[in-house]
Amino acid sequence: MEKWPITLTSTKKVKPDADRLGFGKYFTDHMLLMDYSAGQGWHDPRIVPYGPISLDPSAMVFHYGQEVFEGMKAYRTPQGELVLFRPDMNLRRLNQSCARIGIPQVDPEEVLEGISRLLLLEEEWMPEGEGNSMYIRPFIIATESGLGVRAAQEYRLIVILSPVGAYYPEGIHPVRIYVEDRYVRAVRGGTGEAKTSGNYAAGIKAQEDVKSLGFSQVLWLDGIEKRYIEEVGSMNVFFKIDGEVVTPELNGSILAGVTRDSVIRLLREWGVPVKERRISVTELFEAHQDGRLEEAFGTGTAAVISPIGSMKWDDHDIEIAGGETGELSAKLYDTLTGIQRGEREDSFGWRYSVR
Amino acid sequence: MEKWPITLTSTKKVKPDADRLGFGKYFTDHMLLMDYSAGQGWHDPRIVPYGPISLDPSAMVFHYGQEVFEGMKAYRTPQGELVLFRPDMNLRRLNQSCARIGIPQVDPEEVLEGISRLLLLEEEWMPEGEGNSMYIRPFIIATESGLGVRAAQEYRLIVILSPVGAYYPEGIHPVRIYVEDRYVRAVRGGTGEAKTSGNYAAGIKAQEDVKSLGFSQVLWLDGIEKRYIEEVGSMNVFFKIDGEVVTPELNGSILAGVTRDSVIRLLREWGVPVKERRISVTELFEAHQDGRLEEAFGTGTAAVISPIGSMKWDDHDIEIAGGETGELSAKLYDTLTGIQRGEREDSFGWRYSVR
Ligand SMILES: Cc1ncc(COP(=O)(O)O)c(C=O)c1O
Ligand SMILES: Cc1ncc(COP(=O)(O)O)c(C=O)c1O
């Protein structure tokens, strides 16, 4: 029984320049599809030429937003292996997102096998060059036609691949952050811990507003008291205060990042004290005033580690780590990217080889 | 200058039975489209044969949920007029939703003109029969390709029409409601006051859970204290306590319903005291215990008035108005549907004639 049968494209695209890739702008020649219908379950797993998705205008995804997605990267190691970073965590999270949004579960192993096949098929698209990688975007949309507000009976899983450039083409460098106190991204009991489109739609206005003020990301506060720190842009966030590293606990409105988990494990391995707990924005700014806020950084698949150089909240505008990349941030970045790219020993067994 | 040029379909569909329409299951022969691109603005308004929307798999709507929609109904009056109910309010709300989600504003008059043309073109689809009507679904989706998280630069406005059946084919009757205390639909600072897909995705799991317990809708509480009443399913909600009508105030997490506004105005006109204020679920259940909770009903375009016959919260399960349709609920339903259908005098000027 051949799983994931492949239909090859008849017209290969011209590949983009490896030094002008950017993020999520180019896509490879093929994509992975699988369909769901009530009664039949997930069926028809297949790899086909990359091309448009055609949906009835009443398809539920256009109206009631039943959608979940994932994001991960594949790297080519110096030994020529094609590797993923902890894909089991992404696929588990995909199913957790599905559960929250009322979408039927997928078989993680089957999907991982499909992604591996797709990656091997598209191997010539793996971009050369320091820091480049292949971004993998699995997503599931409700495809059933009809305007009733309820869980759809038909879905499609799609996986597309995008060769992406280094997040820091000129080397890792800190960003300017704005503490958002009007808009809220998520609240306990809502969808914040799911990777679903509505969370991102909720954040776009705030993001555009602060961009025009010269900030690169928003720091989200909790939706209840607007006091506790949640995430930064679409990354998890860490602070080093007085030698101890703290990050917001997973409280139901925060996405459980794969990078977040990896950072926590690395720190524990290194003997650096790390705590998951509530962190108020007041505590943070007070720690800065007392000279105890040593570093701050975001974590996520795209940037891996994104140092925070300054942070504005109300009238307070503070500089962190002298506006430079902190020592621990740099070490985490080097270690994690080293493991991901196969340039460092993988003592945790985080790399997954696709062949 | 011909606005909204029409391309006619070459193959008309067979029209469905007027007594088996349901809601949002059948669509007419044509649809309205208009495109947006940065620099050019909204352009290419047109009416074309109803058919699939073809999008790149990386189209932003599939990933970051930039989407807004509206819902309204057209009726045929006994005099043969085709009328809409307060469409200016829907189009204003569409633009308010756009503002929250970072989507460019439309020209309300231009869109209303387009909808009118589409309705006239599809007049033979207007279903005959008591209580039937034409449901109008305008929506805007981010069509730009690419995986960066930001406001898209390209959008499409689509309007589709669906002949729908009476909401109460056997006459208005009360529903069973479950007070939801785990899941949250929206929170102040979030997207609750916008009509955007993510809000509905957030509600589907709760809705499916209570459906399987025999309830027809969820009563949403506020996301902060989980104490104050917000909406019921996708309707606004009203209670009659001790002769006074109360409804949750527009606090930023509630949709400003057109039916809600119309009910408030009618009640004022009738001299019935009505207040928009915070209402706790405790207050409600206490009022019931004291015999002061006289009626409860939801309001929305689909049902117009949906009487609430019983309500379960924790261990408490109460019956309202003896499980029957209350007197005021019935009067509001008759009056509003009468005005909408052109069977009653329209002293507020709410009807809009499309010709
Ligand atoms: C909202 C949000 N938070 C955090 C993260 C970080 O998660 P991960 O480390 O798994 O990429 C992401 C996605 O990358 C995200 O979208
Ligand atoms: C969440 C929500 N609340 C309330 C309403 C009622 O609004 P309207 O009376 O404008 O239909 C709707 C839509 O119909 C809705 O989707």
Side-chain angles (χ1 to χ4, degrees):
Chain A
M1 186 198 68
E2 175 67 38
K3 270 276 175 159
W4 301 105
I6 298 174
T7 308
L8 289 175
T9 183
S10 54
T11 48
K12 289 196 180 185
K13 300 181 221 178
V14 177
K15 294 185 185 57
D17 249 10
D19 52 359
R20 305 209 322 205
L21 291 171
F23 179 79
K25 295 201 288 192
Y26 302 98
F27 298 92
T28 67
D29 288 318
H30 300 85
M31 61 184 179
L32 179 152
L33 300 180
M34 183 162 64
D35 293 314
Y36 177 93
S37 47
Q40 209 180 346
W42 285 106
H43 59 89
D44 253 328
R46 59 204 187 273
I47 292 171
V48 299
Y50 186 96
I53 306 289
S54 176
L55 292 172
D56 194 86
S58 72
M60 286 180 169
V61 65
F62 292 140
H63 305 271
Y64 309 126
Q66 263 194 303
E67 192 266 6
V68 295
F69 70 97
E70 269 304 327
M72 42 187 165
K73 282 180 174 175
Y75 309 88
R76 199 201 313 271
T77 70
Q79 291 74 40
E81 261 188 316
L82 226 60
V83 295
L84 293 170
F85 184 70
R86 309 186 73 185
D88 50 315
M89 285 198 81
N90 291 93
L91 290 165
R92 198 181 321 135
R93 189 171 64 187
L94 181 67
N95 270 339
Q96 285 160 354
S97 300
C98 284
R100 178 61 186 86
I101 302 299
I103 297 177
Q105 304 282 297
V106 298
D107 175 349
E109 285 177 22
E110 181 183 7
V111 175
L112 183 53
E113 191 200 314
I115 290 173
S116 300
R117 284 191 179 230
L118 180 61
L119 279 167
L120 290 173
L121 176 67
E122 303 291 52
E123 196 170 351
E124 59 191 32
W125 278 90
M126 267 308 286
E128 301 291 337
E130 172 85 26
N132 294 346
S133 60
M134 183 73 88
Y135 184 78
I136 302 158
R137 170 57 55 92
F139 61 110
I140 301 177
I141 54 176
T143 50
E144 188 185 347
S145 304
L147 298 182
V149 183
R150 54 167 175 77
Q153 311 245 34
E154 291 163 24
Y155 299 88
R156 175 167 286 182
L157 165 78
I158 304 166
V159 184
I160 54 179
L161 303 182
S162 173
V164 298
Y167 196 87
Y168 300 109
E170 283 116 43
I172 185 170
H173 63 85
V175 292
R176 248 170 96 57
I177 297 297
Y178 185 96
V179 181
E180 176 61 48
D181 52 11
R182 292 169 308 148
Y183 296 114
V184 166
R185 189 195 85 95
V187 70
R188 165 211 62 192
T191 56
E193 62 186 343
K195 211 164 162 68
T196 181
S197 56
N199 294 336
Y200 300 81
I204 282 172
K205 182 65 170 61
Q207 177 69 27
E208 299 288 314
D209 285 359
V210 307
K211 233 194 246 168
S212 69
L213 298 173
F215 297 89
S216 86
Q217 299 278 355
V218 154
L219 190 84
W220 296 109
L221 299 180
D222 78 282
I224 295 174
E225 301 185 48
K226 289 197 185 164
R227 267 186 70 188
Y228 297 101
I229 284 163
E230 299 229 319
E231 306 198 46
V232 58
S234 25
M235 292 183 282
N236 296 114
V237 67
F238 287 76
F239 303 95
K240 185 164 168 244
I241 301 177
D242 242 351
E244 183 184 75
V245 176
V246 292
T247 189
E249 64 195 340
L250 300 177
N251 59 359
S253 53
I254 292 175
L255 193 78
V258 177
T259 322
R260 176 185 181 279
D261 184 81
S262 309
V263 162
I264 292 172
R265 282 163 186 251
L266 275 180
L267 292 174
R268 295 225 166 102
E269 164 105 338
W270 295 343
V272 178
V274 52
K275 273 214 186 84
E276 302 172 65
R277 64 164 170 88
R278 292 218 293 194
I279 306 159
S280 76
V281 60
T282 332
E283 175 189 347
L284 213 63
F285 277 72
E286 279 174 10
H288 174 265
Q289 204 159 20
D290 303 347
R292 295 182 295 111
L293 177 57
E294 300 162 18
E295 297 188 32
F297 55 91
T299 68
T301 295
V304 187
I305 301 291
S306 176
I308 298 174
S310 70
M311 216 157 64
K312 184 168 159 60
W313 173 49
D314 246 338
D315 291 340
H316 315 283
D317 204 337
I318 62 175
E319 196 181 70
I320 302 169
E324 305 288 317
T325 297
E327 201 181 312
L328 187 64
S329 308
K331 184 175 171 190
L332 283 165
Y333 180 77
D334 291 341
T335 308
L336 273 173
T337 54
I339 296 172
Q340 288 169 338
R341 300 178 180 290
E343 294 156 1
R344 280 183 185 245
E345 205 209 331
D346 177 25
S347 56
F348 291 96
W350 283 341
R351 278 196 300 265
Y352 173 90
S353 177
V354 305
R355 69 166 144 243
Chain B
M1 185 198 67
E2 174 69 37
K3 269 276 175 161
W4 300 106
I6 298 174
T7 308
L8 288 176
T9 184
S10 54
T11 48
K12 289 196 179 182
K13 299 182 223 177
V14 176
K15 294 184 184 57
D17 248 8
D19 52 359
R20 306 211 321 208
L21 291 171
F23 179 80
K25 295 201 287 191
Y26 302 98
F27 298 93
T28 67
D29 287 318
H30 300 85
M31 61 184 180
L32 178 152
L33 300 180
M34 183 162 63
D35 293 314
Y36 177 93
S37 47
Q40 209 179 347
W42 285 107
H43 59 88
D44 252 328
R46 60 204 185 274
I47 292 171
V48 299
Y50 185 97
I53 306 289
S54 177
L55 292 171
D56 194 85
S58 72
M60 285 179 169
V61 65
F62 292 140
H63 304 271
Y64 309 126
Q66 263 193 302
E67 193 266 6
V68 295
F69 69 97
E70 269 304 327
M72 44 188 162
K73 282 180 176 175
Y75 308 88
R76 199 201 313 271
T77 70
Q79 292 73 39
E81 262 188 314
L82 227 58
V83 295
L84 293 170
F85 184 70
R86 309 185 74 185
D88 50 315
M89 286 198 80
N90 291 93
L91 290 164
R92 196 181 322 136
R93 188 170 66 186
L94 182 67
N95 270 339
Q96 285 161 352
S97 300
C98 284
R100 178 61 186 86
I101 303 299
I103 297 177
Q105 303 283 299
V106 298
D107 175 347
E109 284 177 25
E110 181 183 7
V111 175
L112 183 54
E113 190 198 315
I115 290 173
S116 300
R117 284 191 179 232
L118 181 62
L119 279 167
L120 289 173
L121 176 66
E122 302 292 52
E123 196 170 352
E124 59 190 35
W125 279 89
M126 266 309 284
E128 301 291 335
E130 171 85 26
N132 294 346
S133 60
M134 184 73 89
Y135 184 77
I136 303 158
R137 170 56 57 91
F139 61 110
I140 302 177
I141 54 177
T143 50
E144 187 185 348
S145 304
L147 298 181
V149 183
R150 54 167 176 75
Q153 311 243 36
E154 291 162 24
Y155 299 88
R156 174 167 287 183
L157 165 78
I158 303 165
V159 183
I160 54 179
L161 304 183
S162 174
V164 298
Y167 196 86
Y168 300 110
E170 283 116 43
I172 185 169
H173 64 83
V175 292
R176 247 170 97 54
I177 297 297
Y178 185 96
V179 181
E180 177 61 50
D181 52 10
R182 293 169 308 148
Y183 295 114
V184 166
R185 189 195 86 95
V187 71
R188 163 210 64 192
T191 56
E193 63 186 342
K195 209 162 163 71
T196 180
S197 56
N199 294 336
Y200 300 81
I204 282 173
K205 182 65 170 60
Q207 177 69 27
E208 298 289 313
D209 285 0
V210 307
K211 232 194 247 169
S212 69
L213 298 173
F215 297 89
S216 86
Q217 299 278 356
V218 154
L219 189 85
W220 295 109
L221 299 180
D222 77 282
I224 295 174
E225 302 185 48
K226 289 196 185 165
R227 267 187 70 190
Y228 296 101
I229 284 163
E230 299 229 319
E231 305 198 47
V232 58
S234 25
M235 292 183 283
N236 296 113
V237 67
F238 287 76
F239 305 95
K240 184 164 168 243
I241 301 177
D242 242 351
E244 184 184 74
V245 176
V246 292
T247 190
E249 64 195 340
L250 300 177
N251 59 359
S253 53
I254 291 175
L255 193 78
V258 176
T259 321
R260 176 185 180 280
D261 184 80
S262 310
V263 162
I264 292 172
R265 282 165 186 250
L266 274 180
L267 291 174
R268 294 223 168 104
E269 163 105 338
W270 295 343
V272 178
V274 52
K275 274 215 185 82
E276 301 173 67
R277 63 164 170 90
R278 293 218 294 193
I279 305 160
S280 77
V281 60
T282 332
E283 175 189 349
L284 213 63
F285 277 72
E286 278 173 9
H288 174 264
Q289 205 159 19
D290 303 347
R292 294 182 295 111
L293 178 58
E294 300 162 20
E295 295 189 34
F297 55 91
T299 68
T301 295
V304 186
I305 301 291
S306 176
I308 298 174
S310 70
M311 216 156 64
K312 185 170 159 56
W313 173 49
D314 245 337
D315 292 341
H316 315 283
D317 203 337
I318 63 174
E319 196 182 70
I320 302 170
E324 305 288 319
T325 297
E327 199 181 313
L328 187 64
S329 309
K331 184 175 173 192
L332 283 165
Y333 180 77
D334 291 340
T335 308
L336 273 173
T337 53
I339 295 172
Q340 289 169 338
R341 300 180 181 289
E343 294 155 1
R344 279 182 187 248
E345 205 208 332
D346 177 24
S347 55
F348 291 95
W350 283 340
R351 278 196 302 263
Y352 172 89
S353 177
V354 305
R355 71 166 143 241

